[in-house]
Amino acid sequence: MAKKKISFYKWIIYPAIIGAVMTIVVCTVLVQSADKFPFSDETVTLAEYEKAHLKELDKDSADSFDGIEKNTVMGTAEIADKEFPLIYNADEVNGSGKLSILEDSAFFDETGCTFIYCKKNDSKTIKSLKKGNVVSINIKNKSYTFKITDTFAADNQNELKSSADGIGKSVAIYTDNSSGVGISSRYFVAVGQLI
């Protein structure tokens, strides 16, 4: 009988006590840490972050990038019947689903090249551009139209930066050109001339 009693405690009572104590500890930890997790009404969404950090162009029209702040919505770009918001020097969050004008670019009607970057996950439209296609850039009260003169794969930044040399007033719209996941130093580039 004594052997059965020890076996009863060993296999039933002790595990039940240990299980109860562990349940109490876990529940206490969950209750104490519940205030650390946001509830649905306190959640900050990516869209709210994006909206809070985007700035609107406060001029009636822009004729240069001087004084334009990072993440400023400049206007739109119409490419192959699709309209993209055009952001000046967009950060990682604000560049998604939009086109980003690089900081050291020439303005659209200045001699030189305006470099516009498209994130890889939004690049299908950019990669569909062909020689002869037209891209329209709309900035407040002005519109600029560029005719694509060349598309090619650039193997590095130097090739990309010299892609519009000798064209005058131009735009180079580019995106990552790797076929797999991740980022590479190869770019798909569409170069256009102001018409």
Side-chain angles (χ1 to χ4, degrees):
M1 181 78 173
K3 196 172 187 183
K4 246 185 180 180
K5 199 173 193 177
I6 293 173
S7 180
F8 176 74
Y9 282 110
K10 184 178 176 182
W11 295 106
I12 295 177
I13 300 296
Y14 294 144
I17 292 171
I18 292 172
V21 170
M22 288 181 68
T23 302
I24 291 170
V25 169
V26 168
C27 288
T28 303
V29 168
L30 288 175
V31 168
Q32 292 296 323
S33 63
D35 64 335
K36 307 236 186 314
F37 297 101
F39 295 100
S40 62
D41 60 336
E42 298 173 355
T43 304
V44 176
T45 64
L46 185 59
E48 288 170 348
Y49 173 85
E50 197 174 289
K51 186 176 179 186
H53 289 85
L54 280 177
K55 300 163 189 71
E56 289 294 325
L57 186 61
D58 57 0
K59 302 175 183 178
D60 287 334
S61 65
D63 53 4
S64 78
F65 292 128
D66 294 336
I68 305 292
E69 293 181 51
K70 180 177 184 146
N71 293 320
T72 298
V73 179
M74 297 292 295
T76 59
E78 292 176 34
I79 301 171
D81 297 326
K82 187 169 181 185
E83 190 171 272
F84 291 91
L86 199 55
I87 312 295
Y88 179 73
N89 195 16
D91 59 24
E92 285 298 314
V93 172
N94 291 308
S96 186
K98 301 168 187 72
L99 299 179
S100 176
I101 302 168
L102 266 59
E103 193 172 16
D104 296 327
S105 294
F107 197 72
F108 300 104
D109 59 356
E110 293 177 342
T111 300
C113 186
T114 306
F115 291 94
I116 300 176
Y117 177 71
C118 176
K119 283 193 162 194
K120 183 177 182 176
N121 55 340
D122 304 314
S123 66
K124 185 177 180 182
T125 304
I126 305 305
K127 289 182 176 181
S128 72
L129 285 170
K130 306 272 185 263
K131 188 174 181 176
N133 289 150
V134 173
V135 173
S136 296
I137 307 287
N138 304 302
I139 308 290
K140 288 283 186 175
N141 299 327
K142 289 186 179 180
S143 186
Y144 306 93
T145 305
F146 295 87
K147 186 173 185 176
I148 301 300
T149 58
D150 192 16
T151 60
F152 65 97
D155 290 324
N156 54 50
Q157 283 276 338
N158 291 334
E159 238 180 275
L160 169 67
K161 291 293 183 179
S162 63
S163 62
D165 286 355
I167 294 181
K169 300 173 183 177
S170 61
V171 66
I173 305 169
Y174 70 99
T175 188
D176 185 295
N177 199 35
S178 65
S179 57
V181 176
I183 299 173
S184 76
S185 61
R186 291 186 50 101
Y187 304 98
F188 174 85
V189 185
V191 179
Q193 184 173 14
L194 185 66
I195 55 174

